[in-house]
Coordinates of all heavy atoms in Angstrom, one line a residue:
F97 N -10.9 -4.2 19.2 CA -12.1 -3.2 19.4 C -13.2 -3.4 18.5 O -14.4 -3.3 18.9 CB -11.5 -1.8 19.2 CG -12.4 -0.7 19.3 CD1 -12.8 -0.2 20.6 CD2 -13.1 -0.1 18.2 CE1 -13.8 0.8 20.7 CE2 -13.9 0.8 18.3 CZ -14.4 1.3 19.6
F188 N -26.4 11.3 20.6 CA -25.6 12.1 21.5 C -25.6 13.6 21.2 O -25.9 14.0 20.1 CB -24.1 11.6 21.4 CG -23.8 10.2 21.9 CD1 -23.6 9.2 21.0 CD2 -23.7 10.0 23.3 CE1 -23.4 7.9 21.5 CE2 -23.4 8.8 23.8 CZ -23.3 7.7 22.9
A191 N -21.4 17.5 23.2 CA -20.5 17.2 24.3 C -20.5 15.7 24.6 O -19.4 15.1 24.8 CB -21.0 17.9 25.6
G192 N -21.7 15.1 24.5 CA -21.8 13.6 24.7 C -21.0 12.8 23.7 O -20.4 11.8 24.0
L193 N -21.0 13.3 22.5 CA -20.3 12.6 21.4 C -18.8 12.7 21.6 O -18.1 11.8 21.4 CB -20.7 13.2 20.1 CG -20.2 12.5 18.8 CD1 -20.8 11.1 18.8 CD2 -20.6 13.2 17.6
G194 N -18.3 13.9 22.1 CA -16.9 14.1 22.5 C -16.5 13.1 23.5 O -15.5 12.5 23.4
V195 N -17.3 12.9 24.5 CA -17.1 12.0 25.7 C -17.0 10.6 25.1 O -16.2 9.8 25.5 CB -18.1 12.2 26.8 CG1 -17.9 11.1 27.8 CG2 -17.9 13.5 27.5
F196 N -17.9 10.3 24.2 CA -18.0 9.0 23.6 C -16.8 8.6 22.9 O -16.3 7.5 23.0 CB -19.3 8.9 22.7 CG -19.4 7.6 22.0 CD1 -20.0 6.4 22.6 CD2 -19.0 7.4 20.7 CE1 -20.1 5.2 22.1 CE2 -19.1 6.1 20.0 CZ -19.7 5.0 20.7
F197 N -16.3 9.5 22.0 CA -15.1 9.3 21.3 C -13.8 9.1 22.2 O -13.0 8.2 22.0 CB -14.8 10.5 20.4 CG -15.7 10.5 19.1 CD1 -16.1 11.7 18.6 CD2 -16.2 9.4 18.6 CE1 -16.9 11.8 17.4 CE2 -17.0 9.3 17.5 CZ -17.4 10.5 16.9
V198 N -13.8 9.9 23.2 CA -12.6 9.9 24.1 C -12.7 8.5 24.9 O -11.7 7.9 25.1 CB -12.7 11.0 25.2 CG1 -11.6 10.8 26.3 CG2 -12.4 12.3 24.4
S199 N -13.9 8.1 25.3 CA -14.1 6.8 26.0 C -13.6 5.7 25.2 O -13.0 4.7 25.6 CB -15.6 6.6 26.4 OG -15.9 7.7 27.3
N200 N -14.0 5.7 23.9 CA -13.6 4.6 22.9 C -12.2 4.6 22.7 O -11.5 3.5 22.6 CB -14.4 4.8 21.6 CG -15.8 4.2 21.7 OD1 -16.0 3.0 21.5 ND2 -16.7 5.0 22.0
L201 N -11.5 5.8 22.7 CA -10.0 5.8 22.6 C -9.4 5.2 23.8 O -8.5 4.4 23.7 CB -9.6 7.3 22.4 CG -8.0 7.5 22.5 CD1 -7.4 6.7 21.3 CD2 -7.7 9.0 22.4
A202 N -10.0 5.4 25.0 CA -9.5 4.8 26.2 C -9.5 3.4 26.1 O -8.6 2.6 26.6 CB -10.2 5.3 27.5
I203 N -10.7 2.8 25.6 CA -10.8 1.4 25.4 C -9.8 0.8 24.5 O -9.3 -0.2 24.8 CB -12.3 1.0 24.9 CG1 -13.3 1.5 26.0 CG2 -12.4 -0.4 24.6 CD1 -14.7 1.4 25.6
I204 N -9.5 1.5 23.4 CA -8.6 1.0 22.4 C -7.2 0.9 23.1 O -6.4 0.0 22.8 CB -8.6 1.8 21.1 CG1 -9.9 1.7 20.4 CG2 -7.5 1.5 20.2 CD1 -10.0 2.6 19.1
I205 N -6.9 2.0 23.8 CA -5.6 2.0 24.6 C -5.5 0.8 25.5 O -4.4 0.2 25.6 CB -5.5 3.3 25.3 CG1 -5.2 4.5 24.3 CG2 -4.3 3.3 26.3 CD1 -5.2 5.8 24.9
C206 N -6.6 0.5 26.1 CA -6.6 -0.7 27.0 C -6.3 -2.0 26.2 O -5.6 -2.9 26.7 CB -7.9 -0.9 27.8 SG -8.3 0.3 29.0
F207 N -6.9 -2.1 25.0 CA -6.6 -3.2 24.1 C -5.1 -3.2 23.8 O -4.5 -4.3 23.6 CB -7.6 -3.2 23.0 CG -8.9 -3.6 23.3 CD1 -10.0 -2.9 22.6 CD2 -9.3 -4.5 24.3 CE1 -11.3 -3.2 23.0 CE2 -10.6 -4.7 24.6 CZ -11.6 -4.1 23.9

Side-chain angles (χ1 to χ4, degrees):
F97 176 80
F188 291 104
L193 191 62
V195 172
F196 177 79
F197 286 147
V198 171
S199 299
N200 278 274
L201 176 59
I203 293 172
I204 295 178
I205 290 174
C206 288
F207 291 144

